[in-house]
């Protein structure tokens, strides 16, 4: 726990961030600078809330809404002491091992200052053997969620990046804009000019 607090403090200092109010961990919400951010709105195009991506010899997964990652999903079965409430997972590509790298109940939010587009950082501590996940969510009003895993940057500290309308001050109100309409179909052919009599 102390390591997680120290890592969160280091992350705040390293990125010129302002800490947010204590998070509503059950609902993936937090108030930062007077604005409520709702990360339960983040999802894939198929509406699933588990994000997964490879990095090197591992697959990383992330989900902070609806209680976090399930105890078992393709390529990952958490050990008995970490069956519930995991925000992040690191799994071997062959599925032989899967680790909790941060839990929902132990999260701290911060908003980065002086950057455009806006970035909200969330630190999840309490993973197996002290593992911690740092995730930066960049405001992008055109998507509910994209995900990439940077991997283990320092021992037992994992970094992930996302973009989402949920990190924008307007949230996902109304969702991302719809795609542009298709071009209109061609009109009927122009009739030839009349021939003189």
């Amino acid at each position: 726990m102390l390591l997680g607090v120290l890592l969160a403090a280091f992350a705040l200092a390293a990125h010129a961030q302002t800490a947010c109010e204590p998070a509503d961990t059950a609902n993936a919400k937090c108030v930062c600078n007077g604005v409520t951010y709702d990360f339960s709105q983040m999802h894939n195009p198929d509406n699933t809330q588990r994000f997964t991506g490879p990095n090197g010899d591992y697959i990383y997964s992330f989900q902070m809404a609806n209680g976090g990652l399930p105890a078992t999903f393709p390529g990952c079965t958490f050990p008995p002491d970490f069956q519930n409430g995991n925000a992040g997972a690191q799994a071997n590509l062959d599925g032989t091992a899967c680790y909790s790298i941060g839990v929902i109940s132990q999260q701290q939010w911060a908003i980065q200052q002086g950057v455009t587009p806006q970035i909200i950082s969330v630190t999840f501590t309490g993973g197996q053997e002290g593992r911690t996940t740092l995730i930066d969510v960049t405001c992008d009003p055109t998507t509910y969620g994209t995900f990439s895993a940077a991997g283990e940057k320092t021992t037992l500290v994992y970094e992930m990046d996302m973009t989402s309308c949920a990190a924008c001050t307007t949230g996902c109100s109304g969702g991302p804009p719809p795609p542009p309409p298709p071009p209109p179909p061609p009109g009927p052919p122009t009739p030839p000019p009349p021939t003189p009599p």
Side-chain angles (χ1 to χ4, degrees), residues 105-164:
S105 63
Q106 296 180 33
Q107 59 182 274
Q108 291 183 318
W109 294 42
I111 192 164
Q112 293 190 14
Q113 299 300 311
V115 295
T116 303
Q118 176 169 279
I119 299 173
I120 297 176
S121 300
V122 185
T123 301
F124 296 90
T125 57
Q128 284 176 257
E129 300 168 356
R131 287 174 168 85
T132 296
T133 293
L134 309 173
I135 185 159
D136 286 339
V137 185
T138 302
C139 166
D140 181 348
T142 67
T143 183
Y144 282 103
T146 64
F147 174 84
S148 66
E152 187 173 7
K153 292 302 192 178
T154 57
T155 304
L156 301 180
V157 178
Y158 305 85
E159 295 182 19
M160 301 176 185
D161 296 297
M162 291 189 72
T163 60
S164 176

Side-chain angles (χ1 to χ4, degrees), residues 96-111:
T96 56
C98 185
Y99 304 95
S100 167
I101 58 174
V103 297
I104 297 291
S105 63
Q106 296 180 33
Q107 59 182 274
Q108 291 183 318
W109 294 42
I111 192 164

Side-chain angles (χ1 to χ4, degrees), residues 171-196:
C172 296
S173 57
T190 306
T195 55

Side-chain angles (χ1 to χ4, degrees), residues 9-194:
F10 173 74
L12 287 174
H15 297 291
Q17 299 177 340
T18 300
C20 299
E21 295 179 17
D24 175 356
T25 59
N27 296 300
K29 294 181 182 180
C30 194
V31 175
C32 301
N33 293 338
V35 177
T36 300
Y37 294 91
D38 181 0
F39 281 11
S40 71
Q41 297 176 348
M42 296 189 304
H43 60 78
N44 292 295
D46 64 358
N47 288 326
T48 58
Q49 292 186 310
R50 179 172 37 114
F51 293 89
T52 301
N55 184 293
D57 294 332
Y58 300 98
I59 296 284
Y60 293 89
S61 297
F62 173 76
Q63 180 177 332
M64 66 185 293
N66 296 320
L69 295 166
T72 300
F73 55 92
C76 179
T77 299
F78 287 112
D81 292 348
F82 286 90
Q83 290 285 303
N84 299 305
N86 294 299
Q90 177 197 43
N92 292 350
L93 289 176
D94 62 7
T96 56
C98 185
Y99 304 95
S100 167
I101 58 174
V103 297
I104 297 291
S105 63
Q106 296 180 33
Q107 59 182 274
Q108 291 183 318
W109 294 42
I111 192 164
Q112 293 190 14
Q113 299 300 311
V115 295
T116 303
Q118 176 169 279
I119 299 173
I120 297 176
S121 300
V122 185
T123 301
F124 296 90
T125 57
Q128 284 176 257
E129 300 168 356
R131 287 174 168 85
T132 296
T133 293
L134 309 173
I135 185 159
D136 286 339
V137 185
T138 302
C139 166
D140 181 348
T142 67
T143 183
Y144 282 103
T146 64
F147 174 84
S148 66
E152 187 173 7
K153 292 302 192 178
T154 57
T155 304
L156 301 180
V157 178
Y158 305 85
E159 295 182 19
M160 301 176 185
D161 296 297
M162 291 189 72
T163 60
S164 176
C165 52
C168 302
T169 56
T170 56
C172 296
S173 57
T190 306

